[in-house]
Amino acid sequence: MTLKTLLNETHRALGAKMVDFGGWDMPIHYGSQIDEHHLVRRAAGMFDVSHMTVVDLKGARSREFLRRLLANSIDKLKVAGKALYSCMLNAEGGVIDDLIVYFLADDFFRMVVNASTREKDLAWIRQHAAAFGVEVVEREDLAIVAVQGPQARALVAGLVADADRAALDKLGRFAALDVTSVDGVPLFVARTGYTGEDGYEVLLPQTAVVAFWNALLAAGVKPAGLGARDTLRLEAGMNLYGQDMDESVSPYEAALAWTVALDEGRDFIGRGVLEAQKAAGNARQMIGLVMDEKGVLRHGQKVLTANGEGEILSGTFSPTLGKAIAFARVPAGDIPLGAAGNVRVDIRGKEVPVRVVKFPFVRDGQAQPGIDA
């Protein structure tokens, strides 16, 4: 049975084209994916991400449990409200999921995990939480609306109670705060997102999400669908679970070494495999590609390098850059940045030259150095 968020009828009333996304009936766009992409880069757009899973962890040993569960170090979180991005690994060092965890109190942490991995994530978390006496609570009562773009924070502030606006305005990046809306609704507002733009992800009661969405609409925030969300996140150099990484891929092979903390005395799940992989050198690496010729880079296309063959992971036409960009996983080895022709992509039998670049491709709405030819 297809799952629906409480905003499903609202999306349809706004003219959304709906598609199946991991078993959820979700809006891909409301007329123009390109327009919605530019809207987020230049002003503000909002996304219904209520299909994501919110999990609360409660218990005196919650931090100890997360030191075991996550590849990144939960000990980095010392101030209530701060957030951490991490991978959750299996015993072989493969990525079960990537997630954000918030430190709310010594005995209370909140995680937001991917929709498509909901069941396996919950089973894995519960399996390992039992030994620590940690209670795992799936918060099905909460919806999530992401408001992203240069104007996003100011527009959300207008819907927050006067007494909370100053504190919200001071909220740092990758941190969250409990506030109240002008209508008296409790909002958990996180300064996080999946677009490369500033903004918030707002968790609130399911019963209040339609009214909150409509209030944002009245304030001038336009809706954006999953199509724009995907092009925005790829421009921003952010992985998509299931396409750029999965349980057969380690963080080192997904350009996520920065999320692995090999801190002394912490035996997280999969650590031994990662240490061995780091010592031996990765067999595979993830790189960024830009194609200056016309055409689109798509998932599954063959990538040819001097070190051997790889394949395109995420690929799309970048609305901001006006050309095709992609992530690719290829055999490890030095590949010069910049010069076209060192790497080629097989597009319908034609070997098309591409440039290897550092990502993110776009930051603060602008192409990063080396992206433009």
Side-chain angles (χ1 to χ4, degrees), residues 1 53 68 77 81-82 138-139 155 159 164 171 197 200 224 245 276 289 296 298 302 311 348 354 365 370:
M1 193 177 86
T53 306
R68 172 69 177 156
L77 301 186
K82 287 296 288 181
E138 182 184 0
R139 296 296 305 273
L155 291 165
L159 303 184
D164 289 333
L171 185 66
E197 296 295 330
Y200 296 127
M245 58 181 168
L289 302 177
V296 180
R298 299 190 187 282
K302 188 189 298 180
E311 70 169 351
R348 295 186 296 277
V354 292

Side-chain angles (χ1 to χ4, degrees), residues 56-290:
D56 284 353
L57 305 174
K58 298 181 179 180
R61 297 177 68 192
S62 293
R63 184 182 288 272
E64 186 183 350
F65 164 56
L66 289 169
R67 294 180 88 245
R68 172 69 177 156
L69 186 75
L70 303 179
N72 209 341
S73 178
I74 199 70
D75 293 337
K76 293 176 183 177
L77 301 186
K78 296 178 170 61
V79 177
K82 287 296 288 181
L84 181 76
Y85 173 73
S86 180
C87 293
M88 180 169 67
L89 309 180
N90 58 25
E92 295 74 41
V95 181
I96 292 174
D97 200 8
D98 64 322
L99 55 89
I100 293 178
V101 58
Y102 300 90
F103 166 41
L104 303 180
D106 288 334
D107 59 353
F108 181 18
F109 291 79
R110 172 168 289 167
M111 300 168 70
V112 179
V113 302
N114 285 305
S116 61
T117 53
R118 178 191 214 109
E119 297 304 324
K120 72 167 185 176
D121 283 5
L122 284 167
W124 183 260
I125 293 165
R126 288 187 171 123
Q127 175 190 336
H128 292 279
F132 295 86
V134 171
E135 182 185 7
V136 180
V137 183
E138 182 184 0
R139 296 296 305 273
E140 293 182 282
D141 58 311
L142 294 178
I144 312 177
V145 176
V147 190
Q148 301 279 289
Q151 299 173 13
R153 293 178 64 216
L155 291 165
V156 170
L159 303 184
V160 170
D162 289 347
D164 289 333
R165 284 181 194 168
L168 185 60
D169 189 53
K170 293 176 184 173
L171 185 66
R173 291 178 186 267
F174 243 68
L177 185 68
D178 284 303
V179 298
T180 303
S181 78
V182 290
D183 297 324
V185 175
L187 308 175
F188 180 84
V189 182
R191 196 174 169 190
T192 52
Y194 195 48
T195 63
E197 296 295 330
D198 204 353
Y200 296 127
E201 291 177 304
V202 183
L203 283 65
L204 71 164
Q206 294 272 13
T207 52
V209 68
V210 174
F212 185 72
W213 179 275
N214 288 333
L216 285 165
L217 206 59
V221 184
K222 293 183 179 178
L226 293 178
R229 187 170 159 86
D230 191 54
T231 52
L232 289 159
R233 69 90 193 167
L234 183 52
E235 286 186 352
M238 297 179 178
N239 285 35
L240 174 63
Y241 189 84
Q243 191 148 297
D244 302 317
M245 58 181 168
D246 55 32
E247 292 188 40
S248 69
V249 177
S250 82
Y252 291 143
E253 298 171 318
L256 291 173
W258 62 275
T259 71
V260 176
L262 297 174
D263 41 339
E264 192 174 340
R266 190 172 68 91
D267 184 25
F268 63 82
I269 298 165
R271 175 169 182 152
V273 176
L274 293 194
E275 287 180 325
Q277 197 174 76
K278 186 176 183 181
N282 300 337
R284 303 179 293 176
Q285 62 182 334
M286 194 167 96
I287 58 174
L289 302 177
V290 172

